Amino acid sequence: MKGLSRKIYLEMQPPTEEDNRSDAERILNKLDEKGYTAKLNLSVLRKLYPICERADYQVTVSVAWNGTEWIAVDLEPGNTAANHYGLAVDLGSTTVSAQLICCETGKLQAQATVSNHQIKYGTDILTRIFYCKDQPEHLEEIRIATVSTIRECLQQLEAQTGIPAASCIQMVVAGNTTMIHFLIGMDPFCIFSSPYAVHQNRPGFLPGQELGIPISGYVFLVPSKSNYLGGDIISGMIATELYRKDEISVFFDIGTNGELVIGNKEFLLCGAGAAGPALEGGVVRTGMRAEAGAVDSVKIDGTRILCHVIGGGTAKGICGSGIIDLLAELFLHGWIDFRGRLQIEKGEPISIGDNNELRVQYSENLFFYQSDIDEFLRTKAAAYTMVSYMLKETGISMEDVSNFYVAGAFGTHVNKESAITIGLYPDIDRERLINAGNTSLEGASQLLLNLEIQKQIDPILDHMVYIQFGAVTDFLQMMVAAQAIPHTDLSLFPSVPDKLSVFRNFNK
Amino acid sequence: MKGLSRKIYLEMQPPTEEDNRSDAERILNKLDEKGYTAKLNLSVLRKLYPICERADYQVTVSVAWNGTEWIAVDLEPGNTAANHYGLAVDLGSTTVSAQLICCETGKLQAQATVSNHQIKYGTDILTRIFYCKDQPEHLEEIRIATVSTIRECLQQLEAQTGIPAASCIQMVVAGNTTMIHFLIGMDPFCIFSSPYAVHQNRPGFLPGQELGIPISGYVFLVPSKSNYLGGDIISGMIATELYRKDEISVFFDIGTNGELVIGNKEFLLCGAGAAGPALEGGVVRTGMRAEAGAVDSVKIDGTRILCHVIGGGTAKGICGSGIIDLLAELFLHGWIDFRGRLQIEKGEPISIGDNNELRVQYSENLFFYQSDIDEFLRTKAAAYTMVSYMLKETGISMEDVSNFYVAGAFGTHVNKESAITIGLYPDIDRERLINAGNTSLEGASQLLLNLEIQKQIDPILDHMVYIQFGAVTDFLQMMVAAQAIPHTDLSLFPSVPDKLSVFRNFNK
């Protein structure tokens, strides 16, 4: 592993009157011999004595890359080169995940996931942003909450492995632009307001101690492309290697926001939209996150709607994957038409609720309303249109797409078939539809373990071309067409009529 | 001035939707245009907002050289490029002197001199070293005392100029190896114990904040050559430019220790000895530092000894320059012979004191004893022999020496003629005998103001060859010859017989 840090065991001769070079010089000369032109930081200078003398000049030096040069950041007696650890962090606005990784072997030692402590300042990002807009004390509260979330991860990792953060050298953090602004202690209001120029997008390597993170080396903050395309997406590019492939891929990260990249080693088109919250269940009346009590998968058996509830027990609401299943099943059984309109005569659970609004009861006391369906379809249309608009821009058809990566927790929960049925995912070979998982965390870990990947960041950022969807006139037209289930142009979804024929006579 | 820091005024366009580069990128691109490839430190990242916006993107960036690259360490609204300050410090074991310098013009703004707070842990260096040997808590006390001494200087400078340290960017500190170990917080016992390998000798640039010094940039610690040849001497080389001259010079720094360099652009021989304390009055019974109450110059008028007292009033003791005058006058008037023996029959102030020891009363109730004279002559012999031994080593005669620099406070107080009379200074053209003043401070200020000088440090260190006098057999023989006044070989001091003939019949 040739990552962002090295632990180097040095066997040196103790000083004599003939060779009375300083301890520091002795170490630097030896590192130089081994190919590392380094400097010693203050902490190592202070450790030189008595460590060198007591260890008879057999010591292990931790060197950390600071973006420009190697800095010796720790010194231990004896040979501890095998105990070489680093940290990768996905700084999500909802959850923060961290991995403690052995940087000698690349082996994952432990993983921790923690709720972002920022949530007490607002479940959605905008509330948090407004909370600290031009309020330095509030910004500082949120900065501290951010750091304390990471520190909680570090404590969990230590509890699991016995390895304290202080013996980790480097940390790579991937997060969206807002999260990185918060971690540094910068007002992120700029991200959501015209002209959408952020305060910083490439903070690079900052000393852990300065950020309040108790590692010996640096925190590398994965750069962002723009306000809506954060380090989490750049990290996803690295994890999927999309930017270095001959074939064209689509990368779709559905989280709090929806971010999209289409491209290969020649080009990278990207865009972002507020697709996320709706798809995750954020805008429907009984929607909730994919946590205990959420309906996460649905089947219709005859006249009954069967739900799977996370953690078992009574359902409290429905999460994104549940909604997608529900709509697919409603459609396949003819309980909604291709416009998503509930067919009261088709299913017993369909009834008329408040304000004369149609609704379907999917679980005890839980209803999915016509307006929820409409809202969800608008969101799925927006998401699908982001992809198809971009393909159209590049003159590429869905057939030309080799891989369709769905990143984030969303991808891992959603039933692919249901997502295709409702026209959210494209109707392509199923093996080309890849649930890529937490690519932000995966990319961070790759960055930690391979210094060479640093060189890839510039080309990625340079190649990325951001498409502002809102500014595009035919986007809306395309979106209207995509609000049908699966789409007004059925030729785009060839497998859906086959599925329908199983359940009902599609040709009526 | 192209020193270790720059203040650069940037006029930028505010972001638009067409050009929505981040504030950070905007600054870095502009700096790049001006020839500075830089990074922003955390403190500047945090200041980007609201400074950039409120100043309509007309800002001044402070960039600091960290030994490898430029780091933006401060950001101010508007054009403050003219308010560009830095600090030079001579970290002496007795007194610490600091200068606040305008880095645009090179103009000295103010100077402060403060007693080293370490003195409470021992007036001499060895006491302080033993106090913290293998006692990290004691070492920390001395480190804090060192930092607080510098901070006291900074407060004085602020009081004089209204410029706080926080608006200074860089600081250059020159001090002997022990002082630099203390400032960093490193046990300096190594400096005085075999094999004389120090813990570090080139700490380089360290962030001011980490050292506890409230500047925005870095503290550059002038490297040392070896245990006894510290950064103060390297700084002296820079101040005198001795290392780049064709002619041969002698550099003699008489402070707590005596350090000597002889050379030119071809070679640099150097050595050190415990010459200092005695010459400064440290080993004679009524000796004291050159402060209020000290006799600093002496004349004999007939049978009376006339003293000048620093600050006026009654004399409390005698300092180095006073002793040298006293001995020269005693010798010229025949009150002591060439071996320094008091001639009781020659002068009324000479009497017999305790233990039957001869003594001379130089002021009310103040006596200089025969044993004081003997001790002082041994020390002056050691100092002179350091010079003559080195010249002998190089095959150079005193005539070949173009400049004889006497550095330190000692040089500025001593009467050259007296020092020649007693054989401490060589008997050469008086204009070649240069009182160089505080060359440690002067070199530090040059290093602050001229980045190019950094490149000179390596050649200086590489060229310096250290001569261990104690290890040399004929050194002692030479020293015995040098204990006479001015020397057993009178041909070395041709002007002294002429002086004598004025006062007494030398050929008697």
Side-chain angles (χ1 to χ4, degrees), chain B residues 342-363:
Chain B
L342 284 163
Q343 310 292 308
I344 193 162
E345 74 282 8
K346 289 293 177 74
E348 207 173 290
I350 301 173
S351 60
I352 295 172
D354 303 337
N355 302 320
N356 264 339
E357 192 182 352
L358 283 169
R359 61 186 189 179
V360 55
Q361 181 170 0
Y362 61 93
S363 190

Side-chain angles (χ1 to χ4, degrees), chain B residues 236-245 249 265 405 446 453:
Chain B
M237 292 298 96
I238 286 160
T240 57
E241 298 191 312
L242 188 149
Y243 68 99
R244 45 196 305 193
K245 290 182 172 155
S249 303
K265 66 180 185 185
Y405 295 101
Q446 290 187 20
I453 299 182

